[in-house]
């Protein structure tokens, strides 16, 4: 299994659950996937308030059998929330937009994504995401790599 397979699988699972109307049920992981397959329950995890008014729930973070780290978090961004500063990542991300509309700024351009869309953020990309709609924007970020 390679990094691309893991990223696509994680994003597809998140989007499929949302499409079926299921709520994510996750707890924060102990930091290791070594015990094999499991369910991470978000129902007992707490949302963290962010300085810009958004919220984040960290679902899991650990090390895959391949040696790569993997994590997932869900974010809520109220309408009118200022965009964060552009930042560079040193891993790959798949972002599943669950609700609302976001603007994805990267590589000198801006693209819009709506609920049901998936954004790929390549290793080393400098980027930012902001709520581009009038309601709440919600998305899940699946990260593989440091």
């Amino acid at each position: 299994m390679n990094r691309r397979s893991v990223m696509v699988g994680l994003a597809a699972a998140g989007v499929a659950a949302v499409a079926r109307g299921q709520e994510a049920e996750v707890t924060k992981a102990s930091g290791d996937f070594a015990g094999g397959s499991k369910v991470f329950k978000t129902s007992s995890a707490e949302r963290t308030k962010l300085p810009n008014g958004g919220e984040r729930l960290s679902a899991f973070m650990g090390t895959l059998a391949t040696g790569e780290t993997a994590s997932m978090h869900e974010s809520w961004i109220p309408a009118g929330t200022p965009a964060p500063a552009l930042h560079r990542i040193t891993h790959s991300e798949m972002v599943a937009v669950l609700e609302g509309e976001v603007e994805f700024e990267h590589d000198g351009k801006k693209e819009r994504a709506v609920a049901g869309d998936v954004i790929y953020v390549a290793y080393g990309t400098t980027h930012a995401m902001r709520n581009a709609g009038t309601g709440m924007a919600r998305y899940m970020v699946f990260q593989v790599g440091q």
Side-chain angles (χ1 to χ4, degrees):
M1 179 175 288
N2 61 29
R3 178 184 302 202
R4 177 179 154 84
S5 298
V6 170
M7 295 300 290
V8 170
L10 286 172
V15 171
V18 170
R20 289 190 306 268
Q22 296 176 344
E23 299 220 3
E25 295 183 17
V26 185
T27 59
K28 198 165 187 178
S30 63
D32 194 1
F33 294 98
S37 300
K38 63 180 84 175
V39 173
F40 297 98
K41 302 247 184 220
T42 53
S43 56
S44 62
E46 291 184 32
R47 289 188 192 186
T48 302
K49 300 276 186 187
L50 303 174
N52 69 354
E55 295 182 45
R56 176 176 290 172
L57 183 144
S58 294
F60 61 77
M61 180 178 284
T63 303
L64 301 172
T66 58
E68 296 174 300
T69 60
S71 68
M72 190 281 280
H73 72 267
E74 186 171 357
S75 290
W76 291 260
I77 306 172
T81 301
L86 288 167
H87 60 283
R88 183 174 179 269
I89 58 171
T90 56
H91 53 266
S92 299
E93 293 180 347
M94 296 293 283
V95 181
V97 181
L98 306 175
E99 180 181 339
E101 181 177 358
V102 297
E103 181 181 79
F104 172 49
E105 183 175 354
H106 65 99
D107 304 312
K109 60 185 168 185
K110 295 178 182 180
E111 295 184 79
R112 291 198 178 221
V114 298
D117 291 344
V118 176
I119 300 166
Y120 171 62
V121 187
Y123 177 94
T125 299
T126 298
H127 73 288
M129 199 150 8
R130 73 171 188 88
N131 184 336
T134 57
M136 181 67 70
R138 181 171 65 102
Y139 56 88
M140 295 172 80
V141 178
F142 300 90
Q143 171 188 322
V144 173
Q146 300 286 332

